[in-house]
């Protein structure tokens, strides 16, 4: 039996993207201090944008409006992925377990968000 979604926190896409944000904060803690106002700040803002836009989309009255914000969340997810690759290529990330965990959560969040978009259309 499927439970009724009563608030944005009930959305599986929001829950997984929230986990992803927490992981982004963990991963970005190892970035060099000189990146605090550059890559660290940028990747964190983009990550926070993901569940924020899912929540905003949930609060919209029409499916078209909801999907618009879910697509913005998807764009932010891709932005984080791009910034993560830059950080990795710059040598800021060396812990392979953390890299694998990050990639797995990114893929899971992307898959669930894509499903939410398709279901809402």
């Amino acid at each position: 039996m499927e439970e009724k979604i009563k608030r944005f926190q009930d959305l599986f896409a929001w829950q997984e993207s929230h986990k992803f944000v927490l992981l982004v904060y963990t991963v970005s803690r190892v970035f060099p201090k000189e990146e605090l106002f550059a890559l660290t700040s940028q990747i964190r803002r983009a990550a926070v944008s993901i569940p924020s836009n899912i929540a905003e989309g949930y609060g919209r009255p029409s499916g078209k409006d909801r999907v618009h914000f879910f697509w913005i969340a998807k764009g932010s997810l891709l932005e984080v992925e791009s910034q993560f690759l830059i950080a990795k290529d710059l040598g800021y990330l060396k812990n392979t377990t953390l890299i694998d965990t990050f990639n797995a959560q990114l893929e899971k969040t992307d898959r669930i968000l894509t499903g939410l978009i398709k279901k809402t259309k």
Side-chain angles (χ1 to χ4, degrees):
M1 180 186 338
E2 224 177 277
E3 289 189 35
K4 180 85 171 125
I5 295 176
K6 297 177 183 167
R7 51 198 186 122
F8 70 84
Q9 296 97 322
D10 296 331
L11 290 170
F12 196 43
W14 184 88
Q15 294 168 8
E16 292 303 318
S17 65
H18 179 77
K19 289 178 193 173
F20 185 65
V21 170
L22 300 179
L23 189 55
V24 166
Y25 269 76
T26 298
V27 167
S28 63
R29 276 192 198 110
V30 302
F31 292 1
K33 295 296 177 216
E34 67 264 16
E35 287 292 350
L36 186 59
F37 298 105
L39 190 56
T40 305
S41 176
Q42 184 68 26
I43 198 169
R44 288 176 174 182
R45 278 195 319 270
V48 168
S49 176
I50 301 163
S52 298
N53 277 292
I54 292 170
E56 187 165 356
Y58 173 80
R60 294 295 169 150
S62 74
K64 184 179 178 183
D65 285 342
R66 281 187 214 104
V67 167
H68 173 75
F69 282 93
F70 297 160
W71 275 116
I72 293 171
K74 176 118 171 153
S76 294
L77 183 67
L78 294 171
E79 184 179 350
V80 172
E81 181 178 17
S82 176
Q83 293 159 355
F84 175 78
L85 292 170
I86 291 166
K88 199 168 97 174
D89 290 345
L90 288 170
Y92 298 164
L93 302 167
K94 296 180 173 93
N95 181 326
T96 55
T97 303
L98 194 55
I99 291 169
D100 291 345
T101 301
F102 180 92
N103 283 326
Q105 187 62 39
L106 182 130
E107 289 174 21
K108 185 176 187 180
T109 303
D110 183 44
R111 195 172 53 252
I112 292 165
L113 185 52
T114 298
L116 179 62
I117 291 168
K118 287 178 181 176
K119 185 177 180 182
T120 306
K121 278 186 173 182

